[in-house]
Amino acid sequence: MKQMIVHCTQHITRMALLENGRLVEYAAERDQQQGLVGSYYKGRVMNVLPGMQAAFVDIGQKKNAFLYVDDVLHPHLDKQPAVKPSIEMLLQPGQEIVVQVRKEPRGGKGARVTTHYTLPGRWMVYMPFAEYVGVSKKIGRESERSRLKGIGERLRQGEEGLIMRTVSEDEPLDAVEGDLAFLRAQWEMITRRSKEVEAPALLHCDLSIVQRFIRDAFNPQRDELRIDSAKAVKEAEAFLSDMAPEGYKPVGFYRGQESIFSAYGVTDQLHKSFSRKIILEGGATLIWDETEALTVIDVNTAQYTGGTNLEDTVTRTNLLAAEEIGRLVRLRDTGGIIIVDFIDMEREEHRRQVTDKLESIISRDRTKTHILGWTHLGLLEMTRKKARHDSAGFAPVICQCCGGTGKVGTWLE
């Protein structure tokens, strides 16, 4: 069973997702940042840079948004030209364009935007111009994949494209059809508003953090939602009104004196999970270092001595580490290149066991992750997409003395 624990303060909403009492996801959102990723803007092209094959678009934020040429071409690969055109042939300074935010602004960079529009619903993702139907790879049964693809092909119209989500498995036609009708109405509203306003302007704001997690990760048939704000409880109940079965009330109002995060053990798990050094069951450790270019995770046996021989001890340690890394990558929302330095194993079948364990845990993550395999040096490479910047999240403060390195230079005299 999953539990969503929501802690609301005056300006920040924090959400923790627990699976059997164990923290697997955490996110936070400031009120003014609500729904930036996924939101639609009518923008104005400010600069076109053929050397970068990109353009900068004013969407009304502090920094102009970045639009790459691939995000301007047709979303269906078969519809794209054989030779990629120059960005100057597609966009001109001063041109008004509807864009959707793919990545939040970070550091000195503006948001990353696209014209490959998507509107996620409960059962599907609606793409107004994609012209194809896809089915989530996490749906394994071929008969169900064929059924959902057939439903999508019958329902889509003209240039529309649909991706049937994992949760659509075994869902009846009327539920899927209702979801599509709602998404079409949203797109019509965006299109209509784009003709009425001047750029730059917000056309459509994505859902709040609580609504997104309900939509993407919550099963109203069996999961629980606990919130410490009466206002947020009413909003969640309204959002769930058509999803929860009759008689079952998944939303609960927390009234305790103790912080809701402390009452459900979230605070302690956050501190342990976001440390540089993570102690595993039995005493093995992970050392977690993040740089600008990549994240490096080092696995050590430390005090772990289990197993009948060295290879057995190493393999067990690596399996424990793989399970915890799969959870922490999702929890910490680690993105980009990830390198894991597992303890060296002699047998290929043991390396395969470790990879299989990591893949089984990562398969629960909604964010796209690729395990690329082992390098010649025995390191495991993987990549993970990251769209949201956790500026309101559980983030450590960089030490002003050592700059986060843990070392301060001294002169020898």
Side-chain angles (χ1 to χ4, degrees):
M1 185 186 74
K2 289 185 289 189
Q3 292 176 306
M4 287 178 60
I5 312 301
V6 181
H7 176 42
C8 301
T9 59
Q10 187 174 2
H11 298 297
I12 298 177
T13 300
R14 294 181 170 90
M15 198 288 310
L17 181 64
L18 304 177
E19 292 181 355
N20 299 318
R22 200 170 189 205
L23 184 63
V24 295
E25 285 191 40
Y26 172 81
E29 191 171 71
R30 298 184 189 276
D31 291 344
Q32 65 269 26
Q33 289 180 320
Q34 179 175 322
L36 186 58
V37 171
S39 296
Y40 285 80
Y41 289 86
K42 183 176 183 179
R44 179 175 288 106
V45 178
M46 304 303 293
N47 306 95
V48 178
L49 307 175
M52 295 176 62
Q53 280 287 69
F56 287 96
V57 183
D58 179 11
I59 60 172
Q61 298 290 313
K62 292 180 180 179
K63 294 279 187 178
N64 288 338
F66 181 83
L67 177 61
Y68 186 57
V69 64
D70 285 353
D71 289 309
V72 185
L73 298 174
H74 197 284
H76 199 305
L77 292 176
D78 293 343
K79 298 286 185 177
Q80 295 181 6
V83 179
K84 190 180 297 184
S86 170
I87 190 77
E88 290 179 303
M89 298 175 62
L90 304 172
L91 297 173
Q92 300 295 324
Q95 179 179 344
E96 294 187 344
I97 184 172
V98 175
V99 294
Q100 184 179 20
V101 177
R102 288 184 57 188
K103 281 190 176 182
E104 289 184 352
R106 190 168 189 178
K109 298 179 180 179
R112 174 81 180 266
V113 295
T114 182
T115 63
H116 297 177
Y117 312 122
T118 59
L119 282 171
R122 177 66 177 169
W123 314 118
M124 67 176 66
V125 177
Y126 177 74
M127 303 170 292
F129 304 115
E131 296 188 48
Y132 71 87
V133 174
V135 179
S136 169
K137 294 180 181 178
K138 294 183 180 180
I139 298 177
R141 287 183 293 141
E142 196 58 42
S143 59
E144 181 61 10
R145 294 180 63 84
S146 298
R147 183 187 79 91
L148 290 173
K149 188 172 179 62
I151 289 175
E153 290 291 358
R154 289 198 302 274
L155 293 179
R156 81 176 188 93
Q157 300 174 359
E159 298 180 304
E160 290 178 341
L162 307 173
I163 296 178
M164 311 305 291
R165 306 182 68 180
T166 307
V167 290
S168 67
E169 187 172 7
D170 297 323
E171 285 299 321
L173 174 63
D174 58 344
V176 177
E177 199 167 12
D179 200 26
L180 177 57
F182 173 74
L183 295 174
R184 277 179 178 149
Q186 272 196 330
W187 176 246
E188 290 174 2
M189 182 274 295
I190 293 169
T191 303
R192 182 173 63 253
R193 179 163 167 75
S194 69
K195 298 174 182 177
E196 297 171 350
V197 300
E198 295 184 3
L202 174 66
L203 303 177
H204 171 73
C205 189
D206 195 18
L207 300 175
S208 70
I209 185 174
V210 176
Q211 292 171 330
R212 288 199 306 271
F213 272 87
I214 291 175
R215 180 192 67 196
D216 297 338
F218 191 78
N219 187 330
Q221 308 289 332
R222 59 175 184 268
D223 296 340
E224 295 180 354
L225 177 58
R226 297 292 177 262
I227 308 175
D228 61 0
S229 162
K231 178 183 176 183
V233 167
K234 290 181 180 179
E235 291 175 353
E237 286 178 336
F239 193 73
L240 275 165
S241 60
D242 296 330
M243 300 182 190
E246 186 176 353
Y248 181 59
K249 296 183 178 180
V251 184
F253 180 29
Y254 176 78
R255 303 173 184 270
Q257 296 296 317
E258 186 182 18
S259 165
I260 188 172
F261 271 14
S262 297
Y264 283 88
V266 174
T267 302
D268 288 342
Q269 292 192 59
L270 279 173
H271 282 286
K272 292 176 182 178
S273 299
F274 280 79
S275 298
R276 178 176 180 264
K277 182 178 181 180
I278 297 103
I279 301 175
L280 307 178
E281 179 184 341
T285 62
L286 302 178
I287 305 299
W288 198 289
D289 287 310
E290 296 187 18
T291 72
E292 286 287 335
L294 50 82
T295 297
V296 180
I297 307 167
D298 186 30
V299 183
N300 298 303
T301 53
Q303 300 177 17
Y304 184 76
T305 57
T308 56
N309 54 57
L310 178 60
E311 179 71 7
D312 186 46
T313 299
V314 167
T315 302
R316 290 189 181 190
T317 302
N318 285 339
L319 287 171
L320 283 171
E323 183 173 356
E324 187 69 352
I325 288 168
R327 181 183 76 95
L328 291 176
V329 162
R330 176 183 174 191
L331 172 58
R332 296 169 70 135
D333 196 21
T334 302
I337 301 170
I338 304 169
I339 303 294
V340 185
D341 185 8
F342 284 105
I343 305 167
D344 289 340
M345 295 170 286
E346 294 180 358
R347 299 174 63 177
E348 180 61 34
E349 65 176 286
H350 291 162
R351 283 191 287 271
R352 187 164 56 250
Q353 288 175 16
V354 171
T355 306
D356 291 345
K357 170 63 73 173
L358 186 57
E359 285 181 337
S360 69
I361 303 299
I362 283 176
S363 65
R364 305 169 193 170
D365 190 355
R366 298 189 308 279
T367 301
K368 188 178 294 184
T369 305
H370 293 292
I371 297 177
L372 304 176
W374 300 85
T375 70
H376 292 298
L377 296 175
L379 306 173
L380 187 72
E381 293 180 306
M382 55 191 290
T383 62
R384 185 176 182 273
K385 182 181 178 183
K386 181 172 181 176
R388 299 183 188 276
H389 177 41
D390 46 7
S391 57
F394 191 89
V397 177
I398 301 299
C399 173
Q400 295 182 0
C401 295
C402 69
T405 64
K407 301 176 182 179
V408 179
T410 58
W411 291 101
L412 297 176
E413 296 181 357

